Amino acid sequence: MKCPPPAKDPRYARQIPIIGEEGQEKLSKSKVAIVGLGGLGSITSQYLAAAGVGELIIIDSDVVEDNNLNRQLLYDTPSIGLPKAPIAARRLKSLNPCTEIKWYQGKLTEENIDEVIGEVDLILDCLDNWETRLVLDDYSWRKGIPLLHAAVEQFYGQIYFSIPGKTACLRCIAPRQDTKREGGIPVIGAGVGVIASLQALIAIQYLVGVYKEPGTLILVDSKRGSIDKIRIDPSACRCSTL
Ligand SMILES: [Zn+2]
């Protein structure tokens, strides 16, 4: 398929009045890694592809399970038992053929992260464990790539946007112990969608150059419908040279 110039593509006609033709061009030149294609990554990847981000690198190590389907809207019943990343890639390509999709099916580690992610403008943490999150955080700081973290449990979620050299890193707001729990983290699909949509929206704002609040911990209570924001002092980062 031949892709029209992004600013003239009718696909984006309803968002260009908000982000401008220049913003749309910036999106089309952006490269974003989405790590984790579960409840959060299912939604963020679709919104970023639909919005016209130029290239997505999508990463997951799991196969689709029946208990994923209450929230992981990239997959359907016939996908059960199949690896997530290639299915997601096909779905996203079908949603927007003008977004280039690269996928990696496997666990992200310190050893392979340079090769798998490489140079991108932004990394989205859509994971469900802190072990891999901290691998992402280290990579983000080593390469100077902004990292947009999100996590969710029950009705609650958090988002934190770390920019190396400007904000505190993710490690400094991480819990001391990763909690692994039998049966996975309890969530309602729509509740995950609230956090994922906000994460995608912040990513788009950042890529078009209008996001103003990196370094702020956003706490969402989707049961009460409330959002609280806590500014994290960059000097609280114990591992940076700020
Ligand atoms: Zn730190």
Side-chain angles (χ1 to χ4, degrees):
M1 173 181 162
K2 190 171 182 326
C3 298
K8 305 292 172 210
D9 191 334
R11 178 185 292 264
Y12 310 121
R14 299 284 290 272
Q15 67 190 41
I16 286 176
I18 302 166
I19 64 172
E21 292 189 357
E22 197 185 322
Q24 192 63 53
E25 292 285 349
K26 283 183 183 165
L27 284 184
S28 76
K29 292 185 173 72
S30 299
K31 194 168 165 180
V32 178
I34 298 176
V35 187
L37 297 168
L40 293 166
S42 271
I43 304 299
T44 55
S45 62
Q46 291 185 83
Y47 274 135
L48 294 192
V53 169
E55 183 176 334
L56 296 178
I57 299 169
I58 57 171
I59 300 155
D60 202 289
S61 60
D62 292 337
V63 297
V64 179
E65 295 182 45
D66 47 10
N67 67 27
N68 298 156
L69 298 182
N70 79 325
R71 63 198 182 282
Q72 300 186 15
L73 303 183
L74 274 173
Y75 319 110
D76 53 17
T77 306
S79 313
I80 292 171
L82 300 175
K84 287 182 179 176
I87 294 180
R90 198 159 56 235
R91 178 81 183 265
L92 296 170
K93 201 70 199 166
S94 164
L95 173 61
N96 190 347
C98 298
T99 291
E100 189 173 337
I101 310 290
K102 290 187 178 149
W103 59 269
Y104 178 77
Q105 177 73 31
K107 189 173 160 61
L108 203 58
T109 64
E110 279 173 28
E111 287 71 38
N112 68 15
I113 193 166
D114 281 86
E115 195 182 340
V116 174
I117 293 186
E119 300 293 335
V120 292
D121 300 300
L122 175 65
I123 301 170
L124 264 58
D125 160 17
C126 299
L127 290 158
D128 61 357
N129 72 88
W130 283 91
E131 182 197 343
T132 316
R133 280 192 173 116
L134 295 181
V135 172
L136 277 189
D137 189 47
D138 291 346
Y139 183 73
S140 148
W141 278 69
R142 177 156 62 79
K143 303 284 282 187
I145 300 171
L147 175 64
L148 179 54
H149 153 81
V152 65
E153 178 170 346
Q154 298 197 25
F155 286 100
Y156 313 105
Q158 66 182 33
I159 296 175
Y160 180 72
F161 194 176
S162 152
I163 298 187
K166 292 191 177 165
T167 70
C169 74
L170 186 58
R171 187 178 288 276
C172 285
I173 64 160
R176 283 168 195 229
Q177 271 187 322
D178 211 345
T179 41
K180 276 267 175 228
R181 144 189 15 209
E182 251 351 92
I185 298 165
V187 281
I188 295 172
V192 183
V194 170
I195 311 301
S197 296
L198 192 52
Q199 188 184 22
L201 193 55
I202 290 170
I204 289 167
Q205 287 177 280
Y206 171 73
L207 294 170
V208 305
V210 300
Y211 188 62
K212 299 274 191 280
E213 293 189 286
T216 302
L217 182 62
I218 300 172
L219 300 170
V220 180
D221 177 342
S222 55
K223 193 172 187 182
R224 285 195 306 143
S226 68
I227 298 179
D228 293 302
K229 294 196 281 189
I230 301 169
R231 179 97 197 130
I232 308 290
D233 185 345
S235 65
C237 187
R238 298 180 297 273
C239 23
S240 75
T241 52
L242 288 171

